[in-house]
Amino acid sequence: MNTNKKACMRRDAIRDMLQKQEVVTLQEFCQVLHASVATIRSDLTVLEKQGGLRRVRGGAVSTEGTPRNTVYASRVHLNEREKEQIARQAAELLQEDMTVVLDAGTTCARLAQEILNRGLRCTVITASWTAAEILSRSSDVTLQVTGGRLDREHNRLTGGFPAGLQADLYFLSPDGIAGDQATGSDPEESARKAATARACGQVVCLADPSKINRRGVLEICQPDVLVTCEGIRWLGRRQVENQN
C-alpha cells in the first residue's frame, strides 16, 4: 500500500475516533493507530488545516458535529430528553436563598428553565446568555451575569467570574467525565471552570450520555456530586461530610 493511501486511511480513522470520543489524546491515537507521535502530529496538522478538528494541548477535539465543540445551536437538540431529566434531578439539590453558579452548557440552560418553572428564590451567577435570558423572567431570582466578550458560537460570555466569588453550588458542564474526574479541552475555559470550582462550596457535575466515560485532555476538578440520567451520585468528601 502506498504512503499516501495509508495516510488517508489513518486520517479517516482519526476523524472516526473524534466523532465517537469528542476529545482524544496523542497517546490514544498512537495506541489505536499504531503510529508514532510525530506521525500523528503531522496528521493532526493536516486535518486542522482542512477544518476537521482543532488541536489542543496533548491531543485534539473534533469540529465535525460533536456535541460539545460545535456551535451552541447545533448542540441544543442533542440528548434533549436526557438533559431535561438531568435538570429536574439537579433542581432537587437547590434550596431557597442559595447562591449558585450555572455554566454555559445546554444542560445548565435547561436547569435555568427548571428554576424558573419551580419559582425558586435564589441568586444565580452565570456566563450563559441563554440561562440569563430565561432567568430574567423570574422575580424570585437575583441574577448576576458575568462580564466579558460575548462568544456567539457558544452562547456565553468569556472571561473570569467576579473577584471574590462565593457560591453554595456550582453546576459544572464539562467536556467529559471519567473516573470521577471532570475534564475539558479549551485551556482558557477549563482554567476558568477550575477556579470557579475552588471558589464554590460544592461542585455538581451535569453529564448527559455523550459525556460519560469520556476524558478531555485538561483536568478541571473532581466534582462533589454527579448528576446523570441514572440519578444523583455523591462523589466528594465535602458532600459526604455535609450529609452527616
Side-chain angles (χ1 to χ4, degrees):
M1 185 181 298
N2 64 53
T3 303
N4 287 340
K5 188 172 182 179
K6 287 176 64 177
C8 287
M9 292 178 64
R10 193 171 57 247
R11 290 164 191 169
D12 285 342
I14 287 173
R15 287 193 181 95
D16 289 342
M17 288 178 67
L18 284 167
Q19 287 295 312
K20 295 174 182 177
Q21 193 170 317
E22 297 185 31
V23 182
V24 183
T25 65
L26 279 172
Q27 290 72 20
E28 288 173 326
F29 282 131
C30 293
Q31 290 172 2
V32 172
L33 302 176
H34 305 290
S36 68
V37 171
T39 296
I40 295 300
R41 282 178 173 161
S42 177
D43 289 335
L44 296 180
T45 298
V46 171
L47 290 170
E48 185 173 43
K49 289 179 179 178
Q50 294 174 353
L53 56 81
R54 178 165 56 89
R55 296 184 68 182
V56 295
R57 186 176 63 183
V61 296
S62 176
T63 58
E64 296 184 323
T66 57
R68 177 66 189 177
N69 297 296
T70 51
V71 297
Y72 186 92
S74 67
R75 290 186 278 117
V76 168
H77 301 297
L78 292 170
N79 295 320
E80 282 187 288
R81 184 177 302 175
E82 291 86 350
K83 290 174 182 177
E84 289 173 358
Q85 181 179 352
I86 290 168
R88 287 194 297 271
Q89 294 176 131
E92 296 297 325
L93 300 171
L94 288 166
Q95 298 175 17
E96 293 288 313
D97 299 317
M98 272 188 167
T99 296
V100 302
V101 176
L102 294 187
D103 255 351
T106 53
T107 308
C108 283
R110 283 171 169 77
L111 177 55
Q113 185 65 53
E114 193 68 21
I115 292 172
L116 175 67
N117 294 345
R118 296 187 183 204
L120 291 170
R121 186 177 67 247
C122 59
T123 296
V124 177
I125 305 168
T126 187
S128 168
W129 200 251
T130 302
E133 192 279 327
I134 292 169
L135 293 172
S136 67
R137 308 171 205 162
S138 173
S139 59
D140 296 309
V141 172
T142 300
L143 178 63
Q144 183 173 354
V145 181
T146 65
R149 178 182 60 83
L150 176 61
D151 178 352
R152 288 182 173 83
E153 285 194 346
H154 297 93
N155 218 47
R156 68 190 178 201
L157 293 163
T158 61
F161 278 97
L165 168 70
Q166 290 185 325
D168 300 297
L169 297 178
Y170 171 31
F171 289 98
L172 167 67
S173 178
D175 288 6
I177 183 161
D180 296 344
Q181 180 68 42
T183 58
S185 56
D186 181 89
E188 181 179 352
E189 184 71 5
S190 296
R192 183 191 64 76
K193 290 175 187 285
T196 304
R198 291 192 294 270
C200 295
Q202 298 170 338
V203 179
V204 182
C205 179
L206 308 183
D208 70 71
S210 70
K211 298 181 180 183
I212 301 298
N213 295 323
R214 291 182 173 177
R215 186 182 295 276
V217 293
L218 301 171
E219 292 190 351
I220 297 173
C221 68
Q222 178 180 327
D224 300 294
V225 186
L226 176 62
V227 185
T228 67
C229 300
E230 297 178 356
I232 298 173
R233 184 156 64 95
W234 304 91
L235 304 175
R237 182 178 301 170
R238 286 181 293 179
Q239 294 287 355
V240 174
E241 291 175 348
N242 287 344
Q243 295 302 302
N244 294 332

